[in-house]
Amino acid sequence: MVLNLTVILFLVLHFLPGVKSSMVSLNNNGYDGIVIAINPSVPEDEKLIQNIKEMVTEASTYLFHATKRRIYFRNVSILIPVTWKSKSEYLMSKQESYEQADVIVANPYLKYGDDPYTLQYGQCGEKGQYIHFTPNFFLTNNLHIYGSPGRVFVHEWAHLRWGVFDEYNVDQPFYISSKNTIEATRCSTQITGKNMVFNKCPGSSCIIKQCEHDSQTGLYEAKCTFIPEKSQTAKDSIMFMQSLDSVTEFCTAKTHNTEAPNLQNKMCDHKSTWAIISESEDFQNALPMTGTNPPPHPTFSLLKSKHRVVCLVLDKSGSMDSENRLFRMNQAAELYLIQIIEMGSLVGMVTFDSSATIQNYLTKMTDENAYQHITANLPQVANGGTSICNGLKEGFRAIIQSNQSTSGSEIILLTDGEDAEISSCFKEVKQSGAIIHTIALGPSAAKELETLSNMTGGHRFFANKDINGLIDAFSRISSRSGSITKQAIQLESKAFNITGRKWVNGTVPVDSTIGNDTFFVVTWTIQKPEIILQDPKGKKYKTSDFKEDKLNIRSARLRIPGIAKTGTWTYSLLNNHVDSEMLTVTVTTRARSPTTLPVIATAHMSGNTAHYPSPMIVYARVSQGFLPVLGINVTATIETEDGHQAILELWDNGAVQYQGADTVKNDGIYSRYFTDYHGNGRYSLKVHAQARKNKARLNLRRQNRALYIPGYIENGTIILNPPRPEDKDDMEEAEVDDFSRLTSGGSITVLGVPPSVDLTQVFAPSKITDLEAKFKEDHIQLSWTAPGNILDKGKAKHYIIRISNYLQKLQEDFDTATLVTTSSLIPKEAGSTENFEFRPEPFKTENGTRFYIAIQTINEANLTSKISNIAQATKFIPPQEPSVPDLGTKISTISLAIWGLAVILSMF
């Protein structure tokens, strides 16, 4: 039976929990478990902690009233970085980490500015990833710019927790309403203000003038800005301008502006923020509190991060003797100890079969002798049964007897075997406070293995038959402290099945953000190959330069002296044996210097478990610091237990979504639907991001942020705030070197896949979300990105385009709106740009006539997509002569609000 789209959507939203593990829970109207983490690079400042507390305390009361006495902040942990001095009031952190914090405090990148924002790339109603505040936001007075910090926090919390979106639009700040008036993009329309243009100010004077109409669009000129009145009566909306004193509520169905061209309307089908918030899981479990008393103030815990503690718990049972598993495990573990684990970490090792043995208590990783001390004890013989619980218990003992706490320590558990008793130690695992990363090696690894990762906030991986899957998994398990410049970065991970006496070649770009601690590693299955490596300047390294391991685990590595040269490195491998053998190349490196933020890539799926026929979404985030990297090629490889691989090119076009594969264009989040189900079981994800031919660039603009207020009108006087930093630079993008990054996205479990699958009978085309419309003489020109036959893949069958003079007609009764003839419109391949032009007949068209247009897509099985975003086109006939005189007013001195002081406005 084919499930309809509503059922599929329900499964996506409710059975596929987000991969980022937040510790927040709502109990008796109060949020517990909120983690606010300070980045290790932030200088120690007691005032920062105090101001964070004041922000949350104020936000708690503001949130309580905004949610109509339903929700407040009860318990909050502030995670102090390990780089700060220890104090008696600091408690030891447990499973809290910077990597999984709800709020992070970190410096911006490239002096981007102090706009608070939320990393949010899911669907309407889905939780975001984290809120980012800069230290400067807390340490300077931003009251005039953003409003009080508590109000800003509630604005961002709504993004993070309830998946609502901003109600302003910096790219389309004005629109023509159904009443033929030009309105500022806002919610609600009861917020009043003036529309002004600020020209650059020569000397100590400034030209301020009223906005003129653009003769081509009928809207205001490009630099026109809405300046709100400081004194308002409107109570909503927090998602537009929380800085106004009168604003204390979210827009409701009664006050919501459905016409505004903002992201909230686009992403949430023109529903109000309050409607989305009311549908959240929080509100299903939180009735309004009785009485009139405010909620109690939040309780704060100051937690100090500790140096990293990791214990390897490795399976050496009899089944590890098959398919070279023991060799591959040892190769990957050695690579982890030498190339991945951060210096200064404490590392131990336990091996297990039916019993377990502590091979190494915790050893501080300081030099080559330290990791050799551990690698010397890697298991050489596989035999016996499998007792995962015994392995974990000995791992805990290795940590405790090294005078460390299991709370916040990490265990890397690798096994290929089944264990019927694994659930017997779940309680002990939970009580330990340890974070357990699991690596399932092969298809027979215990099915309950992932439960250990899920309950402790660890990563989960699945590796199949070649060494690369294991290396990729180990490479992904880096520090959770936020010290990005210290983390290992994977540049290459390739496997070659080479016939006898044949060469294979490859290239690896090393960009200017990396190059420290760079390793080239080669592994083989039969005989050591001949190796030639050449740097960008022509210097060659040969086989003799590669150091072979002492454990005979068929690997050799070369550590590049100093900083690896920037440019393209080339390698060649010769299979010296007469028979075919598997050769692999792995390249890892670190940031060029402690002050150089590297380009990084992270990946994950939209959930841990897929219940067929729910689609999964593959996400890859590519960034430098906090800035998105655009214009690159990102490819995902998803592999099943039987070795079947699906290759997906990921997109950052923000164009097509079935409730949102890629929701926002140019945000550095590359995504795509995955529907190529090939049986049940574990699926692994690997992502390769690469930039070639100098096409990569940084996006210096952020989505989902607190609105920067350029100024206010108070008692008839325009009071300006300081300009934004990027306005100084007048730059929105910056170039990035060519680069290559590889990362594991962990594993998912797929259930319910039938023996044969016809995806066209299951998945409709994606929803179009970037439909645009404009008049050209008497015709309307449409453009959009083509969806697919199956979500965002293939070619659809045809389009249904409907038009109306009324927005509500398309929203509420699309099927009866006027149909546009599309006989000449043949859908293109998914991802292509579609263009279509038509005359709006039988409507009468004159100056000021407005039309609303929307599209549905039909696939070969006659499944219909959701209705697209609704585009608007207004017939505007430019006047013969300018109708608006120059209203410029020269003001020699005006009030300028900078940290509450009035000064003379001057050139910035």
Side-chain angles (χ1 to χ4, degrees), residues 798-843:
H798 65 88
Y799 296 112
I800 298 173
I801 302 178
R802 295 188 183 272
I803 185 171
S804 176
N805 290 124
Y806 304 99
L807 175 66
Q808 290 78 10
K809 182 69 173 178
L810 293 178
Q811 288 177 322
E812 301 170 5
D813 198 10
F814 176 83
D815 292 337
T816 63
T818 301
L819 188 66
V820 176
T821 301
T822 58
S823 56
S824 63
L825 179 57
I826 301 174
K828 296 179 181 177
E829 190 74 24
S832 304
T833 299
E834 298 273 27
N835 295 289
F836 183 66
E837 184 176 298
F838 67 97
R839 186 188 295 269
E841 298 173 339
F843 296 93

Side-chain angles (χ1 to χ4, degrees), residues 307-465:
H307 287 285
R308 196 173 185 199
V309 175
V310 179
C311 185
L312 305 180
V313 178
L314 307 178
D315 187 352
K316 68 175 190 67
S317 61
S319 56
M320 290 290 291
D321 200 32
S322 63
E323 297 181 341
N324 278 324
R325 289 177 183 168
L326 197 71
F327 264 126
R328 289 189 282 130
M329 179 183 75
N330 289 346
Q331 287 173 333
E334 183 186 58
L335 181 143
Y336 179 75
L337 293 168
I338 297 174
Q339 300 173 219
I340 307 300
I341 191 72
E342 297 80 10
M343 281 293 170
S345 302
L346 296 173
V347 182
M349 185 171 68
V350 167
T351 58
F352 71 93
D353 42 47
S354 54
S355 60
T357 303
I358 298 175
Q359 300 292 348
N360 295 88
Y361 290 95
L362 297 181
T363 300
K364 191 169 185 177
M365 307 301 287
T366 55
D367 52 29
E368 184 173 336
N369 291 332
Y371 67 71
Q372 285 186 351
H373 177 64
I374 300 176
T375 57
N377 293 326
L378 286 168
Q380 301 300 301
V381 178
N383 54 45
T386 304
S387 177
I388 292 170
C389 284
N390 282 340
L392 291 174
K393 290 175 182 179
E394 284 300 278
F396 297 153
R397 194 165 71 87
I399 294 170
I400 293 170
Q401 293 193 3
S402 300
N403 297 317
Q404 295 293 319
S405 170
T406 55
S407 286
S409 296
E410 299 170 74
I411 284 182
I412 300 176
L413 171 63
L414 185 152
T415 181
D416 74 335
E418 297 181 358
D419 182 358
E421 304 297 323
I422 188 172
S423 60
S424 66
C425 58
F426 282 174
K427 183 178 180 180
E428 185 175 348
V429 166
K430 190 68 175 176
Q431 291 175 341
S432 73
I435 300 156
I436 300 182
H437 310 293
T438 58
I439 304 175
L441 180 54
S444 299
K447 302 304 179 186
E448 303 86 355
L449 203 57
E450 284 77 9
T451 305
L452 293 168
S453 296
N454 296 341
M455 72 167 60
T456 62
H459 295 299
R460 44 185 280 177
F461 303 95
F462 164 65
N464 211 346
K465 294 186 177 181

Side-chain angles (χ1 to χ4, degrees), residues 520-522 528 531-533 541-548 556-558:
F520 283 78
V521 180
V522 176
K528 185 177 181 180
I531 309 168
I532 300 175
L533 175 66
Y541 300 90
K542 298 183 179 180
T543 311
S544 57
D545 296 311
F546 282 72
K547 184 178 180 181
E548 194 168 349
R557 66 177 32 80
L558 168 67

Side-chain angles (χ1 to χ4, degrees), residues 11-27:
L11 289 171
V12 171
L13 295 181
H14 295 278
F15 286 99
L16 302 180
V19 170
K20 184 179 183 295
S21 177
S22 171
M23 303 177 73
V24 177
S25 61
L26 181 65
N27 304 297

Side-chain angles (χ1 to χ4, degrees), residues 27 108 239 291 302 341 371 395 478 530 604 650 741 759 845 904:
N27 304 297
M239 299 314 293
L302 302 182
I341 191 72
Y371 67 71
S478 56
E530 185 174 339
H604 66 87
L650 306 186
R741 300 290 187 269
L759 296 178
T845 304
I904 301 300

Side-chain angles (χ1 to χ4, degrees), residues 454-666:
N454 296 341
M455 72 167 60
T456 62
H459 295 299
R460 44 185 280 177
F461 303 95
F462 164 65
N464 211 346
K465 294 186 177 181
D466 63 63
I467 179 60
N468 293 85
L470 275 179
I471 290 176
D472 298 341
F474 273 105
S475 298
R476 178 66 181 85
I477 307 173
S478 56
S479 169
R480 299 152 61 91
S481 70
S483 298
I484 295 175
T485 58
K486 296 181 180 180
Q487 293 178 4
I489 298 170
Q490 195 173 7
L491 306 184
E492 182 72 291
S493 176
K494 276 190 176 179
F496 305 95
N497 193 359
I498 308 175
T499 56
R501 312 298 187 189
K502 296 293 184 180
W503 285 90
V504 66
N505 306 306
T507 61
V508 180
V510 173
D511 59 273
S512 60
T513 70
I514 56 173
N516 189 32
D517 203 26
T518 303
F519 287 89
F520 283 78
V521 180
V522 176
T523 73
W524 57 92
T525 54
I526 303 176
Q527 182 178 335
K528 185 177 181 180
E530 185 174 339
I531 309 168
I532 300 175
L533 175 66
Q534 182 171 298
D535 75 11
K537 298 296 184 181
K539 180 179 179 180
K540 290 186 178 181
Y541 300 90
K542 298 183 179 180
T543 311
S544 57
D545 296 311
F546 282 72
K547 184 178 180 181
E548 194 168 349
D549 69 271
K550 298 178 180 179
L551 298 176
N552 189 31
I553 54 176
R554 303 168 193 162
S555 68
R557 66 177 32 80
L558 168 67
R559 181 177 186 177
I560 303 302
I563 304 295
K565 289 182 170 57
T566 299
T568 300
W569 291 66
T570 61
Y571 60 84
S572 299
L573 305 177
L574 171 64
N575 176 9
N576 284 316
H577 203 270
V578 294
D579 297 327
S580 296
E581 73 167 326
M582 184 71 71
L583 305 179
T584 72
V585 176
T586 302
V587 183
T588 64
T589 188
R590 299 184 198 270
R592 180 166 292 261
S593 72
T595 59
T596 302
L597 290 177
V599 174
I600 61 171
T602 58
H604 66 87
M605 301 283 267
S606 56
N608 290 329
T609 305
H611 296 261
Y612 179 87
S614 300
M616 295 291 281
I617 302 173
V618 180
Y619 290 110
R621 180 185 176 214
V622 187
S623 60
Q624 184 175 13
F626 294 103
L627 298 183
V629 180
L630 313 180
I632 62 176
N633 297 320
V634 183
T635 304
T637 303
I638 299 98
E639 184 174 2
T640 66
E641 290 182 352
D642 63 2
H644 174 79
Q645 289 188 345
I647 310 296
L648 279 179
E649 179 185 351
L650 306 186
W651 297 337
D652 184 21
N653 57 14
V656 292
Q657 63 158 349
Y658 169 63
Q659 287 297 311
D662 190 71
T663 56
V664 179
K665 184 177 182 179
N666 289 340

Side-chain angles (χ1 to χ4, degrees), residues 696-712:
R697 60 198 189 278
L698 292 177
N699 186 357
L700 306 185
R701 299 181 60 187
R702 296 293 334 182
Q703 299 280 348
N704 309 316
R705 66 189 183 193
L707 178 60
Y708 177 93
I709 309 300
Y712 298 96

